[in-house]
Amino acid sequence: MGVLIRSILLVLFFTAEFDIEGGGPMKMKIEEANVDGFLSPQENGGYYRYAAPCVFYGSPLPRDIITQGEDKKKRRPHFLHVFICVPVAPGRSRVITTFPRNFGVWLDKIIPRWCYHIGQNAIFDSDMYLLHLEERNFAAAGVENWQKAVYVPTSSDKMVIAFRNWFRKHCKNQVGWAAPTVDQLPATPTKDKLMERYWSHVAQCRSCRAALKAMKATEVALQVAAVALVGFLAVAKGMPIVTSLLHRTAVASLAVLCFAASRWLASFVQNNFYFQDYVHAYM
């Protein structure tokens, strides 16, 4: 879970300073560290808080940015990143995310939820495999020696260290599973099973299920249209309406476009609703 927090921070935190590869410093400090979690105020006025045992939330905007009062027009723009990471079994967690805000809410009536989910799934996939391997590296090093498995020299690592300290001090480096076993972590599956999206998200999400159903129907309709257009050219070869080269070219081009669109849609569906491999070196 601590590694997940670090991954989330790397994706969500922004700064005005960047190197040639797009990276930037993340100057962090830890306050209010106790059994309830800890607070990490940011240099730009924002903050992130770990609320034990499973909630992580915050914003790059200052905490006092909202003007008090009932008149919503007087409230300055504000938003939160909220992540609830619930361990459900050794090596598995359920992640629930939400991004509440007090501006641009009308966009939610125009942009369907599955569009947001595609972007969020891509973010999680970007580190999924590495997190899976790091978890096993921690286990191999021993829960008391987790720092031997990673290198955490910068201020941006302070929240990871703070979480590990909290986990050690208040949980004795373990989750209280109902039925604990020896060597709890399951074997590493193949990437397509580890990072599959359908059963882990799409099947549970009404918006994504509806989008998948509509896209599959559209894919079939495009393929049928392509075949029908080719068939039309074949049977109507002598008809006056398609005797000119221009007409035949137009019908053939439309058939090709329908088929190409169906292939693109099939690839889009596979990559966004089932599985897309993610290679850090190329992203």
Side-chain angles (χ1 to χ4, degrees):
M1 185 172 176
V3 181
L4 178 60
I5 289 176
R6 182 183 181 188
S7 174
I8 292 168
L9 286 171
L10 290 173
V11 173
L12 295 177
F13 191 82
F14 60 84
T15 177
E17 302 176 42
F18 297 97
D19 60 22
I20 59 175
E21 295 182 347
M26 298 169 62
K27 298 177 182 178
M28 297 182 178
K29 57 183 179 179
I30 301 299
E31 296 179 356
E32 303 178 16
N34 51 48
V35 67
D36 297 320
F38 51 80
L39 171 69
S40 177
Q42 306 298 308
E43 194 176 43
N44 63 347
Y47 70 100
Y48 287 95
R49 179 181 288 278
Y50 168 58
C54 301
V55 180
F56 175 77
Y57 67 92
S59 173
L61 302 178
R63 281 172 289 179
D64 59 350
I65 201 168
I66 301 180
T67 303
Q68 298 298 322
E70 296 182 357
D71 188 354
K72 294 183 179 179
K73 292 183 179 179
K74 293 182 180 180
R75 295 186 180 183
R76 298 172 63 186
H78 190 72
F79 68 94
L80 284 176
H81 309 134
V82 182
F83 296 84
I84 304 173
C85 185
V86 184
V88 295
R92 295 182 64 87
S93 294
R94 177 175 292 113
V95 179
I96 303 170
T97 66
T98 184
F99 300 91
R101 64 187 188 277
N102 65 352
F103 62 93
V105 294
W106 57 271
L107 287 172
D108 295 334
K109 299 179 180 180
I110 300 174
I111 303 174
R113 282 194 303 149
W114 63 267
C115 290
Y116 295 112
H117 293 179
I118 285 176
Q120 292 167 13
N121 285 335
I123 291 174
F124 284 117
D125 277 359
S126 67
D127 281 331
M128 179 73 72
Y129 197 68
L130 293 182
L131 293 175
H132 182 84
L133 295 180
E134 281 197 26
E135 185 176 31
R136 279 143 184 80
N137 290 338
F138 283 8
V143 290
E144 293 288 350
N145 305 310
W146 68 271
Q147 284 180 296
K148 293 182 178 181
V150 293
Y151 185 48
V152 285
T154 69
S155 66
S156 61
D157 298 311
K158 285 186 177 179
M159 289 195 70
V160 177
I161 297 172
F163 170 77
R164 287 289 162 181
N165 288 338
W166 177 88
F167 195 49
R168 171 186 53 79
K169 183 176 180 180
H170 301 291
C171 299
K172 298 181 179 179
N173 287 314
Q174 59 185 350
V175 177
W177 303 113
T181 60
V182 180
D183 297 328
Q184 293 180 337
L185 292 177
T188 298
T190 57
K191 262 191 173 183
D192 60 329
K193 292 182 179 180
L194 179 64
M195 298 165 59
E196 69 83 25
R197 292 184 182 178
Y198 182 78
W199 293 110
S200 63
H201 174 78
V202 177
Q204 326 298 328
C205 175
R206 181 172 60 184
S207 179
C208 288
R209 282 201 318 270
L212 177 61
K213 184 177 180 180
M215 289 182 190
K216 283 189 170 182
T218 303
E219 179 190 346
V220 172
L222 288 169
Q223 292 175 353
V224 170
V227 173
L229 288 169
V230 172
F232 175 75
L233 280 177
V235 301
K237 194 172 183 180
M239 296 176 60
I241 194 173
V242 290
T243 53
S244 71
L245 178 62
L246 180 61
H247 290 161
R248 292 198 301 271
T249 302
V251 174
S253 298
L254 185 58
V256 171
L257 285 175
C258 287
F259 181 76
S262 73
R263 292 297 83 210
W264 177 87
L265 190 56
S267 177
F268 182 87
V269 166
Q270 174 63 26
N271 292 336
N272 290 284
F273 294 97
Y274 289 97
F275 167 74
Q276 182 177 23
D277 197 0
Y278 191 102
V279 181
H280 260 76
Y282 303 123
M283 297 295 181

